[in-house]
Amino acid sequence: MKILALELSTARGSLAWLDEDDTDLTWEWPNDRKNSAVFFENLAAVSEKFGAPDTIIVGLGPGSYAGTRIAISASIGVQVSSGAHLIGFPSISALQCDAHEYCVIGDARRKSFFFARIRANNLIEGPTLFSESELKPKLNAVEMAMPVFTSDSLPQFQRAVVRFPSAPVLARLAREPQRSFSLPPLEPIYLREPHITMPK
């Protein structure tokens, strides 16, 4: 099975190709959320080199809604042209790390933060929103041996170590049919209800 993985939910974008021969090729770059040209250049290069995938997996966040929407839109374009199977999975369940179980925190804007817990790449708690004053005791209650990761700059939470979601991890997870993948229509993981501005 030829797998294409797309991940744009954080400040590090990544794209991976995994095929039947375990050829695992990865592209990573600083993800400028205002300029997605590098992503589309890499995607075009992969398509030209390897052709059509059988499966496309997209990281759904939580994180940058704009980046995640771009990845979803691009995946739909590839799916339409290739007939590939399209699935989504939480980006925070595919961090580049060796831990079997870990916690993730992130900046949810509006002076709030999210907390989630992952075990064996499955989301087992959250993501749940907390204020800074609420999250600190929450983290203090987590056993000290448990890794705490973030993809944001959060110096106020000294325990958090920076790790980013990984397209290669997503690609490997796509080989496991027992996973609870999201199916189309794919949407970013929303931490709040989507805000819709109504016309006046």
Side-chain angles (χ1 to χ4, degrees):
M1 180 169 62
K2 296 177 289 186
I3 300 168
L4 174 65
L6 310 177
E7 169 51 47
L8 290 180
S9 69
T10 70
R12 179 181 295 173
S14 61
L15 185 154
W17 178 272
L18 182 63
D19 65 19
E20 299 94 333
D21 300 323
D22 281 340
T23 300
D24 185 351
L25 297 176
T26 305
W27 292 258
E28 292 185 346
W29 61 93
N31 186 27
D32 183 348
R33 299 171 190 181
K34 296 180 181 179
N35 183 358
S36 53
V38 176
F39 165 67
F40 285 105
E41 289 169 3
N42 287 328
L43 182 58
V46 170
S47 298
E48 183 176 346
K49 183 172 184 176
F50 297 107
D54 300 311
T55 296
I56 308 164
I57 183 168
V58 184
L60 301 180
S64 165
Y65 293 139
T68 304
R69 287 193 196 100
I70 289 169
I72 291 172
S73 296
S75 70
I76 293 171
V78 176
Q79 180 199 31
V80 169
S81 63
S82 66
H85 179 52
L86 177 59
I87 54 177
F89 203 66
S91 302
I92 54 175
S93 295
L95 293 192
Q96 195 167 20
C97 68
D98 296 325
H100 175 75
E101 185 170 351
Y102 58 87
C103 298
V104 185
I105 62 173
D107 187 352
R109 308 296 185 262
R110 303 185 208 171
K111 298 182 179 180
S112 63
F113 306 87
F114 73 80
F115 173 93
R117 192 161 182 149
I118 315 297
R119 181 183 299 143
N121 299 106
N122 289 315
L123 190 60
I124 62 170
E125 180 185 347
T128 307
L129 291 179
F130 294 91
S131 66
E132 180 176 343
S133 61
E134 293 168 335
L135 183 55
K136 285 185 174 179
K138 172 75 172 176
L139 291 177
N140 289 338
V142 173
E143 54 270 34
M144 288 306 298
M146 179 70 63
V148 177
F149 298 128
T150 183
S151 298
D152 299 310
S153 176
L154 298 177
Q156 65 270 52
F157 301 105
Q158 297 181 0
R159 188 173 165 185
V161 177
V162 174
R163 291 287 186 276
F164 293 100
S166 165
V169 175
L170 284 170
R172 290 192 291 273
L173 293 173
R175 284 180 160 177
E176 303 175 8
Q178 76 277 12
R179 299 275 177 186
S180 297
F181 296 113
S182 297
L183 300 175
L186 299 182
E187 290 189 349
I189 295 174
Y190 291 104
L191 297 171
R192 297 181 177 86
E193 288 296 320
H195 178 72
I196 300 173
T197 302
M198 300 300 292
K200 295 181 179 179

